[in-house]
């Protein structure tokens, strides 16, 4: 086992924190399941599976908030925030391999992988009365392990593939694999998951009770993740042209499943769409293919910590919430001015009042307001003047927003650890992936059909269906940005489009001062290789010479 494994999984040998079937947050550690540390019943295996799910919540902030949203052109972080803030260091590519969040992200995914491998090996000694239940559990574990390897490949690039419980000696000798090899391993696991998992209606627990709609991975979840994996391979830096056919196959599986099951995962109205970002996880699970589950007692990083005063719960929360009765400002991570322009110019319902606000008073807060300055910038060949410091509120179900969407929640009685699920896979993501492929096949009208279905629900005018392929692709890219705002998608889109450097430099330039980069902004940091983040120093130094640091981070 890995009691002292420091090389790949810094937390190996630690317990797996298990959970109830609905929230994945509380239960007994794996080591307490039986005297010898192994499983001896179907219920014990289920506790182990849920324990692996529980590891996700420790990964969410770093993977999707910091190393996707903060790097993307969805946001603009003050480059000279008082003190060293990871959000700013990440946004302006000033990080190094010693940053704690880098090590935490690496350890988090490998801790999940370690625990998945442990449960897979231990469950082989358990006699199952129901073979389909055994297959379901194995499918869930393969899904989680495949997802973990995929995110490691997209984020770090060259990482080890860990497909079994390693001995200490194996761990010390296991080298990195190239990103394409890691993606291949991830896809192999996801295909195993697809073959073993039932559809939602067939999901059950160890007692035979139906558990569909509770946020666990089923067959369609595995197929949707496979679609994302192949779309990733199709783009930069993999540039695997053969991945297109597989991406199309899996996207069609997901879209056809939705169509054949009453438009499953599709919110028919904007009001229903908005509810998935509120305080009812069951609504989120209705409209999200797969999401990270949050509960009333352990809400999101955007939850508040003191009544209705709109304080931030932690550093990530304070990026999005006003705090301080004396009128002090929140941490300065704003809606990028280009996003403000895209939302506001059409009156997009997903924008002001939902994804962002222009002052504290819009929250219903008595905190002193601030001045939201306008700046003049270049965007898509136009010169535009617009607001540059709007508060991001996509994940904040503040009272006025809840009232507008008919969501009942009492911040005093129910608390302010808002149980807002974080979506990993949504139908709209799949629809817009597919629209990209349709544009490539010159099926412009069909592609724009998906775009316009989403836009119509958001209350904005349709785009032309007889446009050029270049314009059509631009419409799809824009719609992905608007619809999937702050969901950890945009950065990886920028990378797979091969546009991450261009779009990052454009974001920086929108905030030039007298025609020069602002203080703390160094365009020279935008160099080849930095679409990946550094391999953590803790891993580089564990066995000197075993790992190679990523290009651009030496």
């Amino acid at each position: 086992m890995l009691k002292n494994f420091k090389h790949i999984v810094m937390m190996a040998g630690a317990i797996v924190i298990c959970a109830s079937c609905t929230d994945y947050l509380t239960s007994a550690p794996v080591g307490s399941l039986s005297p010898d540390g192994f499983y001896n019943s179907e219920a014990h295996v289920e506790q182990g599976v849920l324990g692996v799910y529980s590891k996700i919540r420790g990964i969410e902030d770093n993977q999707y908030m910091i190393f996707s949203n903060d790097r993307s052109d969805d946001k603009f972080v003050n480059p000279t925030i008082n003190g060293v803030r990871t959000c700013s260091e990440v946004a302006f590519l000033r990080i190094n391999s010693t940053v704690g969040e880098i090590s935490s992200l690496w350890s988090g995914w490998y801790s999940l992988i370690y625990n998945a491998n442990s449960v897979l090996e231990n469950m082989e000694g358990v006699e199952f009365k129901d073979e389909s239940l055994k297959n379901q559990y194995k499918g869930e574990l393969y899904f989680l392990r495949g997802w973990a390897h995929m995110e490691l490949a997209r984020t770090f690039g060259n990482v080890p593939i860990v497909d079994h419980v390693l001995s200490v000696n194996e761990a010390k000798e296991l080298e990195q694999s190239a990103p394409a090899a890691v993606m291949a391993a991830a896809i192999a696991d996801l295909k195993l998951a697809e073959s073993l998992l039932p559809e939602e209606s067939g999901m059950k627990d160890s007692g035979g009770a139906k558990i569909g709609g509770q946020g666990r991975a089923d067959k369609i979840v595995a197929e949707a993740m496979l679609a994302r994996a192949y779309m990733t391979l199709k783009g930069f830096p993999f540039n695997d042209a053969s991945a297109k056919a597989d991406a199309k196959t899996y996207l069609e599986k997901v879209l056809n499943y939705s169509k054949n099951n009453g438009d499953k995962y599709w919110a028919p109205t904007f009001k229903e769409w908005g509810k998935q970002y509120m305080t009812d996880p069951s609504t989120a699970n209705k409209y999200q293919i797969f999401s990270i589950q949050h509960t009333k007692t352990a809400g999101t990083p955007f939850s508040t910590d003191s009544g209705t005063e709109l304080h931030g719960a932690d550093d990530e929360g304070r990026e999005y919430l006003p705090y301080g009765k004396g009128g002090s400002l929140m941490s300065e991570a704003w809606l990028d001015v280009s996003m403000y322009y895209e939302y506001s110019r059409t009156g997009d319902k997903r924008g002001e009042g939902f994804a962002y606000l222009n002052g504290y008073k819009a929250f219903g807060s008595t905190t002193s307001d601030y001045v939201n300055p306008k700046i003049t910038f270049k965007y898509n060949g136009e010169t535009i003047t617009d607001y540059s410091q709007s508060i991001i509120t996509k994940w904040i179900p503040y009272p006025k927003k809840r009232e507008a969407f008919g969501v009942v929640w009492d911040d005093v009685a129910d608390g302010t650890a808002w149980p807002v699920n974080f979506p990993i896979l949504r139908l709209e993501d799949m629809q817009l992936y597919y629209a990209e492929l349709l544009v490539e096949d010159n099926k412009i009208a069909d592609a724009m059909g998906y775009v316009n279905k989403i836009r119509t629900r958001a209350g904005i005018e349709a785009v032309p269906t007889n446009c050029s392929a270049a314009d059509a692709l631009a419409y799809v890219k824009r719609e992905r940005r608007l619809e999937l705002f702050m969901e950890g998608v945009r950065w990886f889109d920028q990378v797979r489009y091969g546009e991450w450097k261009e779009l990052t430099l454009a974001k920086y330039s929108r905030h030039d001062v007298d025609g020069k980069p602002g203080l703390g902004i160094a365009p020279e940091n935008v160099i080849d290789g930095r679409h990946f983040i550094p391999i953590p120093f803790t891993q580089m130094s564990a066995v000197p010479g075993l790992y190679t640091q990523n290009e651009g981070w030496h």
Side-chain angles (χ1 to χ4, degrees), residues 132-351:
S132 67
L133 183 63
K134 181 178 182 179
N135 287 338
Q136 176 192 306
Y137 291 159
K138 290 175 72 175
E140 290 180 87
L141 293 167
Y142 283 128
F143 168 81
L144 291 165
R145 190 175 75 180
W147 174 29
H149 277 114
M150 186 184 83
E151 296 297 18
L152 285 162
R154 294 202 305 169
T155 307
F156 289 99
N158 301 288
V159 300
I161 299 170
V162 183
D163 59 6
H164 63 284
V165 176
L166 302 174
S167 69
V168 173
N169 287 336
E170 282 182 299
K172 289 180 178 179
E173 296 173 356
L174 184 61
E175 298 179 347
Q176 296 159 290
S177 292
V182 182
M183 288 295 293
I187 286 171
D189 274 352
L190 293 171
K191 286 185 173 180
L192 279 172
E194 180 196 17
S195 70
L196 293 166
L197 285 167
E199 294 180 356
E200 182 184 291
S201 60
M203 295 287 290
K204 55 192 173 185
D205 65 16
S206 59
K210 297 289 187 181
I211 59 169
Q214 294 183 11
R216 287 166 64 171
D218 57 32
K219 179 184 289 289
I220 307 307
V221 173
E223 290 173 346
M225 193 66 79
L226 279 162
R228 174 171 289 173
Y230 281 117
M231 288 299 288
T232 299
L233 282 178
K234 177 179 174 293
F236 180 85
F238 303 97
N239 300 317
D240 181 354
S242 68
K244 177 179 177 179
D246 291 310
K248 186 175 182 181
T249 294
Y250 280 101
L251 288 167
E252 288 176 347
K253 286 184 178 184
V254 175
L255 297 178
N256 287 336
Y257 175 81
S258 171
K259 181 179 178 180
N260 295 334
N261 287 271
D263 282 338
K264 188 171 177 61
Y265 308 122
W266 175 256
T269 66
F270 180 70
K271 190 170 185 177
E272 278 296 293
W273 177 90
K275 287 180 180 178
Q276 69 184 299
Y277 302 100
M278 301 291 179
T279 53
D280 180 6
S282 65
T283 303
N285 290 335
K286 180 179 179 181
Y287 296 126
Q288 295 166 5
I289 298 174
F290 183 68
S291 58
I292 296 174
Q293 306 292 294
H294 288 279
T295 67
K296 181 176 175 179
T297 55
T300 71
F302 314 107
S303 300
T304 65
D305 64 0
S306 53
T308 57
E309 297 171 358
L310 293 170
H311 288 210
D314 54 21
D315 285 342
E316 192 66 34
R318 282 193 289 268
E319 290 189 14
Y320 303 98
L321 289 173
Y323 67 96
K325 291 182 179 180
S328 56
L329 288 176
M330 63 180 181
S331 296
E332 297 172 54
W334 316 104
L335 179 78
D336 186 74
V337 67
S338 66
M339 283 296 287
Y340 181 91
Y341 170 74
E342 289 288 6
Y343 277 130
S344 64
R345 69 190 180 113
T346 60
D348 195 319
K349 293 179 182 180
R350 297 167 296 186

Side-chain angles (χ1 to χ4, degrees), residues 223-481:
E223 290 173 346
M225 193 66 79
L226 279 162
R228 174 171 289 173
Y230 281 117
M231 288 299 288
T232 299
L233 282 178
K234 177 179 174 293
F236 180 85
F238 303 97
N239 300 317
D240 181 354
S242 68
K244 177 179 177 179
D246 291 310
K248 186 175 182 181
T249 294
Y250 280 101
L251 288 167
E252 288 176 347
K253 286 184 178 184
V254 175
L255 297 178
N256 287 336
Y257 175 81
S258 171
K259 181 179 178 180
N260 295 334
N261 287 271
D263 282 338
K264 188 171 177 61
Y265 308 122
W266 175 256
T269 66
F270 180 70
K271 190 170 185 177
E272 278 296 293
W273 177 90
K275 287 180 180 178
Q276 69 184 299
Y277 302 100
M278 301 291 179
T279 53
D280 180 6
S282 65
T283 303
N285 290 335
K286 180 179 179 181
Y287 296 126
Q288 295 166 5
I289 298 174
F290 183 68
S291 58
I292 296 174
Q293 306 292 294
H294 288 279
T295 67
K296 181 176 175 179
T297 55
T300 71
F302 314 107
S303 300
T304 65
D305 64 0
S306 53
T308 57
E309 297 171 358
L310 293 170
H311 288 210
D314 54 21
D315 285 342
E316 192 66 34
R318 282 193 289 268
E319 290 189 14
Y320 303 98
L321 289 173
Y323 67 96
K325 291 182 179 180
S328 56
L329 288 176
M330 63 180 181
S331 296
E332 297 172 54
W334 316 104
L335 179 78
D336 186 74
V337 67
S338 66
M339 283 296 287
Y340 181 91
Y341 170 74
E342 289 288 6
Y343 277 130
S344 64
R345 69 190 180 113
T346 60
D348 195 319
K349 293 179 182 180
R350 297 167 296 186
E352 186 169 3
F354 192 89
Y356 68 89
L357 292 172
N358 285 321
Y360 296 162
K361 291 179 181 177
F363 279 108
S365 172
T366 58
T367 300
S368 299
D369 220 333
Y370 70 98
V371 176
N372 186 352
K374 287 187 175 183
I375 63 173
T376 299
F377 60 98
K378 296 282 189 180
Y379 181 67
N380 290 344
E382 296 183 61
T383 299
I384 299 164
T385 300
D386 248 329
Y387 290 107
S388 63
Q389 294 184 2
S390 298
I391 304 168
I392 298 172
T393 58
K394 174 86 175 261
W395 304 113
I396 306 175
Y398 55 90
K400 283 189 174 182
K401 185 194 283 189
R402 296 197 302 262
E403 182 180 351
F405 285 85
V407 174
V408 177
W409 182 271
D410 188 325
D411 285 332
V412 176
D414 296 325
T416 51
W418 301 312
V420 180
N421 286 0
F422 186 84
I424 301 299
L425 297 164
R426 289 208 290 125
L427 181 66
E428 293 86 344
D429 187 11
M430 302 294 112
Q431 291 172 326
L432 293 170
Y433 273 148
Y434 195 59
E436 285 185 34
L437 301 185
L438 290 172
V439 170
E440 291 182 8
D441 293 340
N442 204 34
K443 297 179 179 179
I444 306 300
D446 292 342
M448 296 304 95
Y450 285 108
V451 171
N452 286 331
K453 183 177 183 179
I454 295 169
R455 289 177 66 83
T456 299
R457 183 179 60 190
I460 50 181
E461 65 181 7
V463 298
T465 59
N466 60 346
C467 57
S468 69
D471 285 345
L473 184 57
Y475 290 143
V476 173
K477 290 179 177 180
R478 181 180 66 185
E479 203 59 35
R480 286 185 62 80
R481 193 180 180 200

